[in-house]
Amino acid sequence: MSNAHIKKMFPGAVTSQGFYSFYHYLIEQDANHIFVLKGGPGVGKSSFMKKIAQAMLDRGYEIEYHCCSSDNGSIDGVVIPKLKIGLLDGTAPHIVDPKNPGAVDEIINLGEYWNEDMLKKARDKIIACSAKASGYFPRAYFALKEAEIALSEWKHYTSSYQDWNQINQMTLRVQRDIFKIPPKDRSKERHLFAWGHTPQGKTQFIDSLLKGTETLYILKGQPGTGKSTFLSKIAERGKTYGLDIEYYHNTLDPEQLDLIILPDLQIAMVIDAEPYAYTPNFNGKRITLDFEESVDKSQLMEECGEDIRDCQIRVNQHITRALKHSSKAKATHDLLETYYVPAMNFSKVEEKLKTVLDRILEYDVEEAVAVVTTSPKTNS
């Protein structure tokens, strides 16, 4: 059995700014091939991608699962990094338009395999169900906007009592500790989400992202103590060294960061704090940075304690409200799928899947040949 690793992340998220997409970072620009799957709900796009992923995992390939933030059981994409091949869901809200059609990008329309007459008979129910499902998402966005406002208020109180000189000194100290390598010519950056507001609740797969990481910095401290700004400064310094950077944005406010990974240094830095507390399952070296040590906590709580407690309640209350709307949207989407599933010819979908897998395996053969031809020769 293969021990190949699966990384899980979110390429898009339900946020206070609406649905926020980093789909253009899902696979590198120099991809060998991108399969863009089209078709309505229930046509098998997610299952299609999962079966391809499993087949490649069985062959020992590392896989990226790009998870769907609005449906816990679905994925929005699969990437096979070593082969530079991706399969993406190209339906709303994550519309993907081929950039190099024919040469790299290819559309696979699973809608070709449905019985259109059956769907027409359910036309009115499908339209009503789609409209109902779509209506829940704006409610989730509004709820998260309320949560973001309450969190911003909380940050306002805390930041006023932070000793920013100490935070700046800590930032410089960490930069001196980690940036001890010669600069590279050019860096690559990638932006995704580590957390999602899913029907299951607040969901993250951060542990899966830490393979290859030797040192994990864990940033603690309540909102407003400077953790996300610290991550941004470390990342900016990394860019000046030409290092590759993986940015994982906050699912409430995408302008903020929850996690950065510096693969060249085998270092990651993650926030463990409300409202997205994270307890790592990590066997490497851990370094905790407590951003609250430099806060005048006694003065803060005396002057703002009651307001902070109110903010905390509102943040969690509105996030919970958003999650309920996401759950209702999923339940309605599941109902919508019941109209499409009976109309699908899944045997034809399986035939298409086998064709796509065979084409991916051609790259598998090409990769093996490339390894053999580039391996140094030894004298017998």
Side-chain angles (χ1 to χ4, degrees), residues 21 50 56 62 136 231 251 282 289-290 363:
S21 173
K50 286 179 180 178
M56 299 310 291
E62 306 284 308
Y136 286 119
L231 292 181
T251 191
F282 179 73
L289 302 177
D290 188 349
Y363 287 95

Side-chain angles (χ1 to χ4, degrees), residues 306-319:
E306 187 175 339
D307 289 318
I308 286 175
R309 284 188 288 272
D310 178 67
C311 290
Q312 185 178 19
I313 290 169
R314 284 186 288 134
V315 168
N316 291 314
Q317 184 181 58
H318 292 304
I319 289 176

